[in-house]
């Protein structure tokens, strides 16, 4: 058992409807504190079920889940686990409940019974880190989709989670808001040490992940660094995925005999490397 990690050991999740549906099959994973993990897959691959398992919203049919060594099956652990694991959903309207932005961000810490001074400190910090100071008195329901998602993220950050689970957070955003949100997630991970588990069906969202977990029909299909996963072009194509544009170019350059450093994540960095060969 790993103390500072999320562990899934032989986890299976089945749902009963007219026919029994197996959403996840025998998943074994370790997500360590401080990592940026990308979970990728097509619709129906099991991504959202995995997200809800990680936050205790649903329980596994079989197998074990541990958060920092605490067993989800123990009722006494559930409150502490939910303080450690924050969740961001696809639609921010599903988790915004207060009439004013600053009240929304204060809602979680207040419900922990924290002193007013600590609540205020957390609200100020979350507003600053998400660049929302100018919107602190605004009504969340009047904000844009991107702004709402930032408020939802700030409200979770105010709880000081160790792990942040995001289920398709960019799917309802325009390209600019999507890019901005992804930049904030990178900053939260690198500067604040918060583990980010970003779930998406869009490979472009996961360029900066430390590791990628590809799900297909409820099973782990591929698992590795972005470079390792995105070189498996044929395997990705077999389940309806393809590498992001930057990795398509990297794959082509390497086929042509060029050596491309693993740290390259952007077109600009790739162009700089390419120019060095001439």
């Amino acid at each position: 058992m790993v103390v500072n990690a999320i562990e899934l050991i032989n986890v299976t999740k089945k749902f009963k409807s007219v026919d029994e549906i197996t959403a996840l099959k025998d998943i074994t994973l370790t997500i360590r504190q401080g990592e940026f993990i990308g979970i990728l897959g097509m619709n129906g691959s099991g991504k959202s079920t995995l997200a809800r398992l990680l936050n205790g919203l649903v329980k596994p049919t079989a197998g074990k889940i541990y958060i920092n060594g605490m067993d989800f099956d123990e009722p006494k652990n559930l409150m502490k686990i939910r303080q450690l694991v924050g969740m961001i959903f696809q639609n921010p309207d599903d988790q915004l409940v207060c009439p004013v932005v600053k009240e929304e961000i204060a809602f979680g810490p207040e419900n922990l019974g924290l002193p007013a001074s600590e609540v205020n400190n957390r609200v100020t910090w979350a507003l600053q880190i998400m660049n929302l100071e100018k919107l602190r008195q605004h009504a969340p329901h009047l904000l844009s989709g991107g702004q709402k998602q930032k408020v939802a993220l700030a409200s979770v950050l105010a709880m000081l989670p160790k792990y942040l689970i995001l289920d398709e957070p960019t799917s309802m955003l325009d390209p600019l808001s999507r890019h901005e949100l992804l930049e904030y997630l990178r900053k939260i991970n690198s500067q604040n040490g918060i583990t980010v588990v970003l779930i998406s069906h869009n490979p472009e969202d996961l360029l900066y992940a430390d590791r990628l977990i590809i799900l297909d029909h409820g099973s782990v299909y591929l698992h590795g660094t972005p470079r390792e996963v995105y070189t498996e072009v044929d395997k990705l194509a077999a389940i309806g995925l393809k590498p992001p544009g930057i990795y398509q170019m990297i794959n082509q350059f390497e086929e042509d005999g060029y050596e491309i450093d693993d740290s390259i994540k952007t077109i600009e960095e790739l162009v700089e490397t390419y120019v060095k060969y001439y």
Side-chain angles (χ1 to χ4, degrees):
M1 187 182 303
V2 183
V3 175
N4 296 316
I6 297 175
E7 286 186 281
L8 288 80
I9 302 173
N10 304 124
V11 169
T12 292
K13 179 60 183 176
K14 297 180 180 181
F15 294 99
K16 291 184 178 179
S17 57
V18 177
D19 297 313
E20 188 173 71
I21 298 171
T22 301
L24 291 173
K25 307 171 189 175
D26 197 28
I27 301 290
T28 295
L29 292 171
T30 299
I31 298 171
R32 292 176 173 80
Q33 281 190 18
E35 286 192 294
F36 193 131
I37 301 296
I39 298 178
L40 178 66
M42 300 296 285
N43 291 336
S45 62
K47 303 188 305 299
S48 292
T49 300
L50 179 58
R52 284 155 176 76
L53 283 168
L54 294 178
N55 194 41
L57 294 176
V58 297
K59 292 185 176 182
T61 306
K64 285 286 189 179
I65 301 176
Y66 298 94
I67 307 292
N68 285 7
M70 292 183 289
D71 188 342
F72 255 131
D73 285 342
E74 293 288 339
K76 66 180 181 180
N77 293 335
L78 200 54
M79 181 63 72
K80 180 60 177 177
I81 286 172
R82 285 182 173 162
Q83 292 177 33
L84 290 173
V85 183
M87 183 85 180
I88 300 293
F89 296 98
Q90 182 177 17
N91 186 347
D93 289 325
D94 291 341
Q95 60 190 114
L96 299 178
V97 297
C98 295
V100 178
V101 166
K102 69 174 184 178
E103 294 176 3
E104 182 67 45
I105 298 172
F107 182 80
E110 286 175 344
N111 279 276
L112 293 178
L114 298 174
S117 59
E118 176 63 15
V119 172
N120 289 334
N121 288 340
R122 292 193 185 196
V123 170
T124 298
W125 173 76
L127 286 167
Q128 289 175 345
I129 199 170
M130 295 305 301
N131 195 24
L132 289 168
E133 294 98 330
K134 294 181 179 179
L135 298 177
R136 62 185 299 134
Q137 299 291 348
H138 280 59
H141 71 278
L142 297 178
L143 300 177
S144 69
Q147 290 170 329
K148 287 179 180 178
Q149 198 64 286
K150 287 171 63 179
V151 172
L153 182 51
S155 68
V156 171
L157 291 177
M159 300 285 286
L160 301 183
K162 297 295 185 183
Y163 304 94
L164 187 60
I165 315 298
L166 302 104
D167 186 13
E168 302 275 8
T170 66
S171 63
M172 301 180 68
L173 302 183
D174 61 78
L176 182 60
S177 296
R178 169 182 165 271
H179 175 76
E180 186 178 40
L181 180 65
L182 293 172
E183 285 297 309
Y184 279 114
L185 293 177
R186 287 179 59 196
K187 181 174 72 172
I188 290 165
N189 174 250
S190 62
Q191 296 182 11
N192 300 98
I194 296 174
T195 305
V196 172
V197 180
L198 179 56
I199 296 170
S200 180
H201 66 275
N202 183 359
E204 300 286 347
D205 286 353
L206 307 175
L207 292 176
Y208 288 91
D210 299 317
R211 289 189 289 136
L212 293 180
I213 298 163
I214 311 299
L215 295 180
D216 181 53
H217 291 91
S219 298
V220 175
Y221 182 73
L222 290 171
H223 182 194
T225 66
R227 178 69 69 87
E228 290 168 343
V229 168
Y230 288 141
T231 55
E232 299 283 0
V233 178
D234 292 340
K235 288 185 178 180
L236 291 171
I239 61 169
L241 295 172
K242 63 180 180 180
I246 176 68
Y247 280 97
Q248 293 181 45
M249 295 178 67
I250 288 173
N251 291 341
Q252 185 59 58
F253 284 152
E254 291 186 329
E255 287 180 10
D256 292 341
Y258 298 102
E259 294 184 5
I260 306 299
D261 191 89
D262 286 345
S263 64
I264 290 177
K265 303 290 186 181
T266 67
I267 297 292
E268 291 77 12
E269 292 170 344
L270 184 58
V271 169
E272 288 180 10
T273 298
Y274 183 74
V275 167
K276 290 179 183 177
Y277 284 103
Y278 291 94

